[in-house]
Amino acid sequence: MAALLRPVGAASVILDDALGRVAAIDIVARLNAPPFPVAAMDGYALRWSDAGAPLPCTGAIKAGDTVGARLSPGTCLRIFTGAPIPSGADTVVIQELTEQVDGRIVLLPGAEPYRHIRTAGSNFETGQSIVRAGRRLNARDIGLLASSGHLHARVYSRPRVAVLSMGDELSDSLSPGGGAQIIDANRPTLKALVRAWGGIPIDLGIVRDDPDTLARILSTVDVDLLVTSGGASVGDFDFMGQTLAGLGFKAAFHKVQMRPAKATLFGTLGSLPILGLPGNACAATIAALIFLKPAIALLGGAGRQDAVREWAVLGSAIAAVGPRTTFLRGRLDREAGGCLSFTALPSQDNAMLSGLAGADAVVVRPPSAPAARTGDSVEIVRFDTVAGF
Amino acid sequence: MAALLRPVGAASVILDDALGRVAAIDIVARLNAPPFPVAAMDGYALRWSDAGAPLPCTGAIKAGDTVGARLSPGTCLRIFTGAPIPSGADTVVIQELTEQVDGRIVLLPGAEPYRHIRTAGSNFETGQSIVRAGRRLNARDIGLLASSGHLHARVYSRPRVAVLSMGDELSDSLSPGGGAQIIDANRPTLKALVRAWGGIPIDLGIVRDDPDTLARILSTVDVDLLVTSGGASVGDFDFMGQTLAGLGFKAAFHKVQMRPAKATLFGTLGSLPILGLPGNACAATIAALIFLKPAIALLGGAGRQDAVREWAVLGSAIAAVGPRTTFLRGRLDREAGGCLSFTALPSQDNAMLSGLAGADAVVVRPPSAPAARTGDSVEIVRFDTVAGF
């Protein structure tokens, strides 16, 4: 997938629209911060070589005052956090380490030379890298961009991701006739995930199990990625794979060694990348986490952004798994002072969408992993670290 | 804050607009899932009492076929995952546990009675709770809502949150004059956080240190929450607190025992809740995590939603802290098979916005906590578990 998916474009946006967007260039500071030396604490600005004697305080400087105040020899100035250091001063002594004696300022034991001055550029300097290309901008980045002189940011464009569900049995709403219709949960889920992961979802609806209809849609769709679900293993027949093959689809992979979601495929039809997910809602959602999230991140310039694996200890034993990488849904508990504990849900039935909605994480078991006992360390993906999931 | 902030309203939205919104009512399933018994695996549907003899296979049922097929005594039917169980069948035997002999189906050792049938309502039943009021809807919830017969969801309205910065020294852009202007990073940061946390940000701009201007703005603003930054401790003078007091502000708290962000206040001016954050950008951002996030969650119906504290081990020692709850910024590393490790940044200077942007977490030290050593367990708040942060 990383070899086939490239960022789709870039544009400048105002900072109000930059949250969650991905920087398209390395962004550097346009100024020094602070722009001039400033006080790091409230106190008195003075020349340390004058500090042996009581010093008259001849004025005050606060944040926002213009640069240019001068400190006369043998005096001090009251100064507040963020205020420009007056020329001639080399030290700020915090007010707690001073006292007034006969209207003059006397330093107390503990006062130290050359302290509490932030030099120009000590936070960042003009030209210094502030945000690297490929970083997804959070609110802290946006504050840093503003403070370094930026009103706009150049970001990658959001990829347009079309979502389509395959299957004669699917419907978007309750079927009044009471036939064998099943409500399509995949498009609502996948559209929400496309949005949460930085793409623009485009809904192509439900497509019946008819090769001509599918071919007509594929020949007209103009998007950066098409995500389908279903049609991959209706019984013995791989409808999606066979129809795509007939149209000239080049598969990068077709079937993967994971459980659930073995029936996942990816490749290109002409210039259109297609990700085919299983029809089962739990399998499609887990496969989206593993394949769709990196695909959107690659198209959106953020790199692969694989689901981050962390460690937890098992709250209860899990059985050995088969020859495929296996994802088990479960709940997390926090143990005081320690690690997270993971307890697999009693049912891993892929039809249990309610179980998936109630889960906090999946454990990821490598192929043919043996049974594991309570207290063993296992790899998990935490849903609360995945946007929108 | 929890005593003063109430949800601001509710409305129905289509599922396409429901991501990140907070359910305003308990939502129950409008149908049974599955609506009728279905096969949980690909295999053969049969009556177990017939299974001693080879069974002719008289047809196939797949997902989407209408309900109503009948199994004749002494026969079996090919059946695929999700397909309706024919009347008369009580068992699905997976295809791997069968073989064809003379055109009939023979069961292999391991086949078991009454297996692989999902009964009607086994995922959820009509009237069963699907989403609780107060839950922030993720993509999995949206899929579950769709599959349980919902096209819309009733959600709390987004609170309108006005953001204002106080200070003569502040500017929105590079000052060509080269005076002592400081670029306001707080409004860009706070607006992004309001949006990330489910509110509608309203920008009231920079307000000079002038009581009349502030009073005029406060008398006309029509929002659910006003967030200010700055003006709380310009040297010895608490401009914001004193101006608000003169207008009849009722403080719920004014100054908090935390570091940074001691100069935080909260209360009401008439019916307007006001959260006053410090002017320093790092302090304002940390205070937003601790106070603004719960405030927006309360107004948005999601409960307090305090920043979640987790555990990590120290990657390097940290010093004892003073009498206030202390937040130290740092980096996280993952230790193989174990817990997260937290290493405090060398500078905790509150002016270092670049340091805040590069941090992964804060450690939370209780008041007067002693020094802690490498390997000690400490409480942290992970930024990657906080939307937009």
Side-chain angles (χ1 to χ4, degrees), chain B residues 309-378:
Chain B
R309 296 194 190 177
E310 308 191 24
W311 292 93
V313 297
L314 284 177
S316 62
I318 55 177
V321 303
R324 294 183 271 157
T325 300
T326 300
F327 297 79
L328 304 173
R329 301 178 284 282
R331 293 230 176 232
L332 292 178
D333 293 295
R334 274 171 232 294
E335 300 189 349
C339 292
L340 289 168
S341 130
F342 174 92
T343 304
L345 298 180
S347 169
Q348 296 292 329
D349 185 334
N350 271 330
M352 299 297 273
L353 207 50
S354 55
L356 179 65
D360 302 315
V362 280
V363 72
V364 186
R365 299 296 286 161
S368 306
R373 286 175 295 202
T374 303
D376 285 354
S377 282
V378 290

Side-chain angles (χ1 to χ4, degrees), chain A residues 92-176:
Chain A
V92 170
V93 176
I94 62 173
Q95 57 196 75
E96 293 85 344
L97 292 177
T98 66
E99 62 182 15
Q100 286 210 20
V101 177
D102 299 332
R104 294 180 176 225
I105 302 301
V106 175
L107 305 194
L108 299 178
E112 292 177 351
Y114 319 128
R115 293 289 306 277
H116 305 309
I117 294 176
R118 289 185 191 126
T119 57
S122 57
N123 187 356
F124 50 75
E125 295 183 317
T126 304
Q128 181 181 327
S129 175
I130 291 295
V131 167
R132 294 274 176 202
R135 182 171 172 97
R136 197 175 295 280
L137 300 174
N138 61 38
R140 294 173 289 135
D141 297 319
I142 289 169
L144 182 59
L145 286 169
S147 73
S148 62
H150 295 275
L151 296 169
H152 311 89
R154 187 149 185 91
V155 297
Y156 285 112
S157 303
R158 295 183 191 278
R160 298 161 302 154
V161 181
V163 178
L164 169 163
S165 294
M166 294 288 312
D168 288 340
E169 73 278 23
L170 297 178
S171 163
D172 274 334
S173 57
L174 285 169
S175 165

Side-chain angles (χ1 to χ4, degrees), chain B residues 31 72 111 139 153 170 202 207 223 247 257 288 304 312 316 327 355 357 359 380:
Chain B
L31 47 80
S72 301
L170 297 177
I202 294 161
V207 177
V223 295
L247 296 169
Q257 285 286 79
R304 284 175 47 161
S316 62
F327 297 79
I380 61 166

Side-chain angles (χ1 to χ4, degrees), chain A residues 16 65 123 180 195 339 351 382, chain B residues 16 65 123 180 195 310 339 351:
Chain A
D16 277 349
D65 286 353
N123 187 356
R195 186 174 286 120
C339 293
R382 280 172 56 163
Chain B
D16 276 350
D65 285 353
N123 187 356
R195 186 174 286 120
E310 308 191 24
C339 292

Side-chain angles (χ1 to χ4, degrees), chain B residues 85-111:
Chain B
I85 299 289
S87 65
D90 59 16
T91 298
V92 170
V93 175
I94 61 173
Q95 59 195 73
E96 292 86 344
L97 292 178
T98 65
E99 63 182 12
Q100 287 209 19
V101 177
D102 299 331
R104 294 180 175 222
I105 302 303
V106 174
L107 306 194
L108 299 178

Side-chain angles (χ1 to χ4, degrees), chain A residues 24 26 46 52 76 86 116 135 169 195 223 228 272 278 296 298 307 320 353:
Chain A
D26 291 333
L46 49 84
C76 68
H116 305 309
R135 182 171 172 97
E169 73 278 23
R195 186 174 286 120
V223 295
T228 70
L272 175 67
I296 294 174
L298 288 161
L353 206 50

Side-chain angles (χ1 to χ4, degrees), chain A residues 15-19 30-31 35-36 38 40 42 62-67 78 80-82 84 95 118 122-124 128 130 135 137-144 146-151 168-169 172-174 178-193 195-196 203 209 233-236 280 285 308-313 334-340 349-360 377 382-386 388-389, chain B residues 15-19 30-31 35-36 40 42 62-67 78 80-82 84 95 118 122-124 128 130 135 137-144 146-151 168-170 172-174 178-193 195-196 203 209 233-236 280 285 308-313 334-340 349-360 377 382-386 388-389:
Chain A
L15 292 189
D16 277 349
D17 293 335
L19 181 69
R30 300 179 62 202
L31 46 81
F36 36 78
V38 299
D42 293 353
K62 63 182 209 307
D65 286 353
T66 50
V67 179
R78 184 92 173 95
F80 298 104
T81 304
Q95 57 196 75
R118 289 185 191 126
S122 57
N123 187 356
F124 50 75
Q128 181 181 327
I130 291 295
R135 182 171 172 97
L137 300 174
N138 61 38
R140 294 173 289 135
D141 297 319
I142 289 169
L144 182 59
S147 73
S148 62
H150 295 275
L151 296 169
D168 288 340
E169 73 278 23
D172 274 334
S173 57
L174 285 169
Q181 300 277 298
I182 293 170
I183 293 180
D184 177 26
N186 287 350
R187 275 167 35 257
T189 304
L190 294 171
K191 284 187 287 180
L193 290 175
R195 186 174 286 120
D203 191 340
D209 291 334
S233 64
V234 182
D236 300 325
N280 177 283
T285 306
V308 175
R309 296 193 191 178
E310 308 190 25
W311 293 93
V313 297
R334 276 170 230 295
E335 300 189 351
C339 293
L340 289 168
D349 185 333
N350 272 329
M352 298 297 273
L353 206 50
S354 54
L356 178 65
D360 303 314
S377 282
R382 280 172 56 163
F383 295 165
D384 66 350
T385 64
V386 181
F389 204 81
Chain B
L15 292 189
D16 276 350
D17 292 335
L19 181 67
R30 300 179 62 201
L31 47 80
F36 36 78
D42 292 352
K62 64 183 207 308
D65 285 353
T66 50
V67 179
R78 184 89 172 97
F80 298 105
T81 305
Q95 59 195 73
R118 288 185 192 126
S122 57
N123 187 356
F124 51 76
Q128 181 180 328
I130 290 297
R135 182 172 171 97
L137 300 173
N138 60 37
R140 293 173 290 134
D141 296 319
I142 289 170
L144 182 59
S147 74
S148 62
H150 295 275
L151 296 168
D168 288 341
E169 75 278 22
L170 297 177
D172 273 334
S173 57
L174 283 170
Q181 301 275 298
I182 293 169
I183 293 180
D184 177 27
N186 287 350
R187 275 170 31 260
T189 304
L190 293 172
K191 285 187 287 180
L193 289 176
R195 186 174 286 120
D203 192 338
D209 291 334
S233 64
V234 181
D236 300 324
N280 177 283
T285 306
V308 174
R309 296 194 190 177
E310 308 191 24
W311 292 93
V313 297
R334 274 171 232 294
E335 300 189 349
C339 292
L340 289 168
D349 185 334
N350 271 330
M352 299 297 273
L353 207 50
S354 55
L356 179 65
D360 302 315
S377 282
R382 280 172 58 162
F383 295 165
D384 66 349
T385 64
V386 180
F389 205 81

